[in-house]
Amino acid sequence: MASAATPTPTGSLPAGVQCQSVMDPGGGLIERAPAASELLPGEHGLQANEGLEAAALWFDYREAANPVRPGLTEPIGLHQWGAELHSCGPTAILPLDLSLELGCQGPATSPALAAHFLRILPGEGLTAAAVATTSLFAVLRGGGSLTRPGDQHAGPLSLAWESGDVFVLPAGQAPQLKAREESVLYWVHDGPLLRYLGVEPSLPRFRPCHYPATRLQRELETLLNDPSASKANRLSLLLGNADLPATRTVSHTLWAMQGVLPAGSVQSAHKHQSVALDLILDCDPGCYTLVGSSCDSEGQIRDPRRIDWQSGGAFITPPGLWHAHVNESGRAARLLPIQDAGLHTYLRSLDIRFRGGLRGEE
């Protein structure tokens, strides 16, 4: 399905300079302003007799030190998508596009990441093309295959995927996904970050990696059977790559976690400076997340917003906000948060904090 066109604000462009239409990964047109290198001399805003000071500005520190506010650098807000988005319809790429709200080029779900649902009918396929260093796929249901041509940096790639699998690809040729049965995948890539930097990937930064559902389930059962797990703040597996030993993340920009929220449990509040794109893999009614800007002396979130979970749904947890997961149902729930925390870990800016400590101690 072609994604909706997302206009780029043109108010700051020099007179006479027009936005250009380009194709997005979903096959639709998006609008982008031309890069400075694409403008003709004089179109940068510099006139014939102006020097290099023409673009210089000076701000009072008090007015400019924190530009994250509505109308300037738009804050990241709460947003939620239901499973009805991908429950029926033709083979399509369905972007979770918030670029208009964020004031950035689209499609983008956060300033650095773009999330999509991929719906593929039996015997059909689609190409997941993006200018990105990392593409992560989580299979919500169905089964099929992936093929990717080789290039000067890596040979051709093929794998079979099943429901519950996760696989991650570095920069390279666009992969083709084909379904043998009706399938839905969740696809997250870091293309918006590269667009902001004005760069394209030149080399793969890690090896492709496949995390089969059977192995994920086995590792989770081992974790749940560990006697010390009953005192842990959370029961989760962080997905890592052997090429990234320092960050222990699924890629050099992304972080992914397979988590379990047992029946009747409350996961204490925590926060981090990365944005979280949370995918609910499986749950019953009664599972939800509480989100707020502060906690009281007992670790409870003040005036929280409640986000109710839905199997196959997704939501955003903005950076810097306290959030706690609650399961009031009678069955364990599973979730897959995907964050730009690989990048934050490398920058030493993740700043993840837990009320009561990582293992639940006061």
Side-chain angles (χ1 to χ4, degrees):
M1 183 182 81
S3 65
T6 304
T8 298
T10 59
S12 61
L13 293 178
V17 178
Q18 301 294 321
C19 282
Q20 303 168 355
S21 294
V22 296
M23 298 298 293
D24 77 358
L29 288 177
I30 62 173
E31 300 292 322
R32 72 169 178 86
S37 60
E38 299 170 326
L39 297 174
L40 296 174
E43 289 179 337
H44 302 252
L46 294 177
Q47 302 304 313
N49 296 322
E50 287 180 329
L52 296 180
E53 293 185 13
L57 297 174
W58 289 264
F59 294 103
D60 183 325
Y61 175 88
R62 295 167 295 177
E63 298 298 325
N66 185 15
V68 180
R69 55 181 182 267
L72 192 55
T73 298
E74 293 293 334
I76 300 173
L78 294 170
H79 203 89
Q80 187 172 16
W81 296 268
E84 64 275 5
L85 178 63
H86 55 73
S87 61
C88 61
T91 294
I93 297 176
L94 306 168
L96 309 186
D97 187 12
L98 297 178
S99 56
L100 188 61
E101 292 89 335
L102 294 169
C104 65
Q105 289 185 33
T109 315
S110 78
L113 305 179
H116 319 67
F117 285 114
L118 307 180
R119 176 174 167 80
I120 314 176
L121 296 182
E124 297 185 1
L126 53 76
T127 301
V131 180
T133 73
T134 302
S135 283
L136 182 147
F137 301 85
V139 185
L140 277 171
R141 65 177 182 270
S145 61
L146 175 146
T147 57
R148 188 171 80 165
D151 57 21
Q152 67 269 35
H153 303 299
L157 176 68
S158 64
L159 66 86
W161 45 266
E162 305 290 342
S163 180
D165 285 8
V166 175
F167 49 96
V168 186
L169 305 181
Q173 297 293 312
Q176 174 77 18
L177 296 107
K178 187 173 182 179
R180 69 169 186 273
E181 57 186 297
E182 183 180 301
S183 301
V184 173
L185 297 87
Y186 188 61
W187 173 35
V188 177
H189 65 71
D190 59 6
L193 174 63
L194 274 65
R195 284 200 300 270
Y196 176 72
L197 296 174
V199 300
E200 295 184 0
S202 58
L203 294 170
R205 298 286 290 113
F206 56 92
R207 283 171 287 176
C209 200
H210 183 198
Y211 305 86
T214 52
R215 178 66 183 273
L216 283 168
Q217 182 60 35
R218 188 162 68 247
E219 295 291 342
L220 281 171
E221 289 175 356
T222 299
L223 176 63
L224 292 170
N225 290 329
D226 185 336
S228 66
S230 62
K231 298 181 180 180
N233 178 284
R234 60 206 59 238
L235 299 171
S236 305
L237 290 173
L238 284 175
L239 307 185
N241 188 298
D243 295 334
L244 304 163
T247 60
R248 296 186 172 184
T249 50
V250 75
S251 88
H252 62 306
T253 59
L254 294 190
W255 179 101
M257 181 191 85
Q258 178 85 252
V260 175
L261 191 61
S265 67
V266 176
Q267 193 180 86
S268 300
H270 71 290
K271 67 175 182 176
H272 37 74
Q273 294 307 312
S274 56
V275 67
L277 308 182
D278 294 292
L279 176 67
I280 304 305
L281 300 172
D282 182 43
C283 73
D284 282 345
C287 297
Y288 57 90
T289 294
L290 300 176
V291 184
S293 58
S294 64
C295 292
D296 61 23
S297 59
E298 296 182 353
Q300 301 301 308
I301 298 174
R302 296 189 180 96
D303 302 318
R305 291 269 305 273
R306 173 169 165 161
I307 301 174
D308 285 290
W309 292 11
Q310 179 190 15
S311 291
F315 64 93
I316 291 177
T317 305
L321 296 184
W322 290 100
H323 47 288
H325 303 316
V326 182
N327 185 350
E328 295 178 347
S329 78
R331 188 169 67 91
R334 295 184 299 119
L335 70 160
L336 180 70
I338 301 166
Q339 305 178 25
D340 51 3
L343 179 61
H344 278 280
T345 299
Y346 176 72
L347 296 175
R348 283 70 164 175
S349 60
L350 181 59
D351 194 26
I352 187 166
R353 301 189 185 192
F354 303 86
R355 295 296 303 191
L358 180 59
R359 296 185 177 276
E361 304 96 339
E362 295 298 330

